[in-house]
Every structure is written in structure tokens, then in C-alpha cells.
Amino acid sequence: MSKFRKKDKGELPAISTASLPDIVFMLLFFFMVATVMRDSSLMIENILPSADQVEKLKKDRTVFIFAGKPSSQYKQFGTEPRIQFNDAFIAVEDVKPSVLQAISELNEELQSKVVIGLKVDKKTNAGLVSDIKQELRKANALKVMYIANVKTE
């Protein structure tokens, strides 16, 4: 009498993989956009000093110079504080040509607005910082900022 009958136990239908390439490319695109590439790897110990008044500037017009003693991976360079520019240790007399080259690689409208960021370890002596500043004056890079951590109380 009834027209309804129980279905036989059949196999489950196959999962459609038609949208799988779309999902993969969407994830790939997301990670390509969201990932930040590191400019340079840090070769020195860099524990920044803390400051009360900190102001954030745009990174597109900033050239960074690091100073501090070499990290444990680079002990072959000694224990005295060194200057790191990009991915290499440089001497004090190489600061001027390195900075001038980095400035020339920027866009023309940013070259006059470039700011030199000094990321100096808090245990580095002031003599090295003074020498770096003298070389920056010779390069006519007069806009200098010191990078510091925000003081927490």
C-alpha cells in the first residue's frame, strides 16, 4: 500500500574537489599579502633602552643603523661593540658611503625626507654613537632618531 520504501544502505557520494584549487589559491594569495619580509637579520645583541615619550614614524623613509656587541652566533667578530648596516658589519669610516648609497636607492621624493634610525644597544658606549653621528654629519644626514622601547611602569 505504501509507496515509500526504505533505501538500501548505499555508499556515500564522493566529495567534490572542484573548489579545492580556488581555496588553495585564496590561501596562497592571503599569505603573500599578509607576510612581511624581513629587511635584514640582526647580527648584534640589541636590547634597546626605554623612553617616556615615544613617537612612531613611517618606515618607508627610514634607514636603520644598528650598534652593539656581536651576538653569540657571530663571536668570531669579537666582543667589542660593532656597527651593523643591512646584513654586514661596517667600520665607522664606512658609515658615510653606506648611508649615501641607501639614500640614493630610495624614491626621489623621499631622499630629502630620509631619517636615520639608530638602534643602539643600551650597553654600547657613547663614543661609538658619537663617531656614528660625526659620520652622518659628513654625509649631510642630519635627521637622526634614536629607537627605544616604551617605558613600562
Side-chain angles (χ1 to χ4, degrees):
M1 265 304 252
S2 79
K3 294 186 176 185
F4 301 106
R5 58 185 160 132
K6 291 186 177 182
K7 290 186 179 181
D8 294 333
K9 289 189 177 181
E11 294 184 20
L12 293 174
I15 297 174
S16 174
T17 58
S19 64
L20 190 60
D22 294 336
I23 294 170
V24 169
F25 284 117
M26 198 168 30
L27 285 171
L28 179 67
F29 183 72
F30 171 76
F31 285 113
M32 284 174 49
V33 171
T35 303
V36 177
M37 301 303 271
R38 184 175 286 211
D39 290 338
S40 60
S41 58
L42 203 56
M43 299 166 60
I44 61 168
E45 293 178 7
N46 198 354
I47 302 169
L48 298 174
S50 56
D52 292 342
Q53 300 171 355
V54 178
E55 180 181 336
K56 193 164 191 160
L57 296 176
K58 293 181 181 178
K59 288 187 176 183
D60 61 346
R61 61 186 184 119
T62 306
V63 175
F64 292 104
I65 297 175
F66 302 93
K69 71 179 193 175
S71 64
S72 59
Q73 297 173 333
Y74 300 96
K75 286 296 183 187
Q76 69 266 24
F77 293 105
T79 58
E80 290 298 314
R82 307 276 312 244
I83 302 169
Q84 179 187 345
F85 190 80
N86 290 337
D87 281 334
F89 287 125
I90 60 172
V92 174
E93 54 272 359
D94 295 332
V95 170
K96 178 182 174 184
S98 299
V99 167
L100 290 175
Q101 180 184 1
I103 291 173
S104 68
E105 293 172 358
L106 293 174
N107 295 337
E108 286 188 30
E109 63 266 4
L110 295 177
Q111 288 180 359
S112 62
K113 300 175 183 176
V114 70
V115 177
I116 308 298
L118 293 178
K119 289 189 174 186
V120 181
D121 185 54
K122 65 181 180 181
K123 294 180 182 175
T124 303
N125 56 2
L128 182 63
V129 177
S130 178
D131 293 342
I132 294 171
K133 287 173 48 179
Q134 290 294 332
E135 289 295 314
L136 291 174
R137 285 186 191 123
K138 291 177 189 175
N140 200 24
L142 303 176
K143 296 177 185 174
V144 178
M145 67 177 174
Y146 295 97
I147 310 297
N149 289 329
V150 179
K151 186 183 257 186
T152 56
E153 296 183 48

